[in-house]
Amino acid sequence: MVAAAAEQVVAGLREECATPAGRLDEVAAAMAEEMAAGLAEEGGSKVKMIVSYVDSLPNGSEEGLFYALDLGGTNFRVLRVQLAGKEKRVVKRESREVSIPRHLMSGNSSELFGFIALALAKFVHDEGHNTLFDNKQRELGFTFSFPVRQTSIASGTLIKWTKAFSIDDAVGEDVVAELQMAMEKQGLDMRVSALINDTVGTLAAGSYYDEDVVVGVILGTGSNAAYLEKASAIPKLEGELPKSGNMVINTEWGNFSSPCLPLTEYDEALDKESLNPGEQIFEKLISGMYLGEIVRRVLLKISLQSSIFGNVDQTKLKSHFILRTPDISAMHHDQTPDLKIVAEKLADNLKIIDTSLETRKMVVEICDIVTRRSARLAAAGIVGILRKIGRGNPNDKRKSVIAIDGGLYEHYTEFRQCLESTLTELIGEEASRSVTVKLANDGSGLGAALIAAAHSQYLK
Ligand code: ADP
Ligand code: MG
């Protein structure tokens, strides 16, 4: 028997995390409403609805050699692609991934950009002799996945850091200028021709291969979404309307919050003790940086209130972020009859040893509750966007494809399946026949290169 006190904690969690369709409907409606408010005027909503200055999506005709730099979470990636037009598309693609040392995430701006520029310079050096493009300055699309007030396609000031980043002297600065300066210090002759968010990159790369892609979503360390909006539906858009009549909007939905969100004591404590209290509430409920941490907090409470973990040294259990989302994913998918993987993860990460099978089953249920809530809320967010643009309903016959990138969606099968089935549950069988979700693997990097190509200085 799992001790009653522990069962009570789990029962409370189950109840508070419940996301019946009616509640998700409210979430979707609130999301659509906040989106409209954010488009109406600057500062109109917590959902910032940032104008990306990308007014058309790639169509396949892009040509040339382009670089991309993708900075957003735990790693950054550099990418080099050779684009060869409609028929041949991407003929060559090389990339390198570098993990960002923790101390650089909260140091100063020049150290971070110096580190990035150095890695980029090494990567560019490896291109070697390239007679085809020798006389041209190299161009780069910069994917920077934090809220930026964009001032043109290739400039923007950092509004605030999110996720694990907190570098005070970068806030309010133009991140392209910072990068450009660091590149010059490395003697790297390269032009940043586009600054984009990873959601915009995912949307762009998605639509490069499939013109029905209208929404790009990130479910990785953080969470965010971008979509193609009609320029006429953006009252805050200043100056001349783009010729295409469209504009890509980076929603920054991670900062969405609403009384209809199912928040628990664990979420409230996590938020209060985070680097950005009061902010990114939606992100803290759904993204990969936080799911493991929520589970850890539940396990700690159980350990404080019951003896089912035995006489455990709580040092580990009390360490923030020691249980990561890949760990809860591994436990959640454990198919061994005696839940051996759960036992291993508990022992290795939290020093919880000698658990009964029943206790391990309870741990799996906790992972399930937290992840299910996350996936269902993410689905509700997507439905909110579809509603905003009048798609995904029985009266709309157009195909709508949602491109999703990020390690959480890519690797966490239970999460992915739950998100997809919830989408169908919310929009109904009929409408769901014209709505597809697909993985856009590393779309953010390719998308940046594609947008850089569309804004190349060598285009007539
Ligand atoms: P980023 O969001 O940093 O750009 P990714 O898109 O690769 O990077 O996502 C990385 C995140 O995905 C990790 O922080 C983690 O939360 C989540 N993740 C990675 N692997 C797994 C996994 N096997 N199961 C669940 N989540 C995972
Ligand atoms: Mg990413």
Side-chain angles (χ1 to χ4, degrees), residues 70-77 97 145 163 198 218-223 287-292 324-330 333 405-413 415 442 444:
D70 181 354
L71 172 68
T74 30
N75 301 314
F76 76 89
R77 299 179 187 86
E97 187 163 302
S145 310
K163 297 170 274 191
D198 54 354
I218 296 293
L219 290 159
T221 306
S223 181
S287 81
M289 175 161 169
Y290 304 101
L291 300 186
R324 300 167 322 126
T325 299
D327 298 321
I328 69 162
S329 166
H333 294 120
D405 192 11
L408 178 64
Y409 181 77
E410 186 179 357
H411 302 297
Y412 201 152
T413 309
F415 174 92
D442 192 24
S444 49

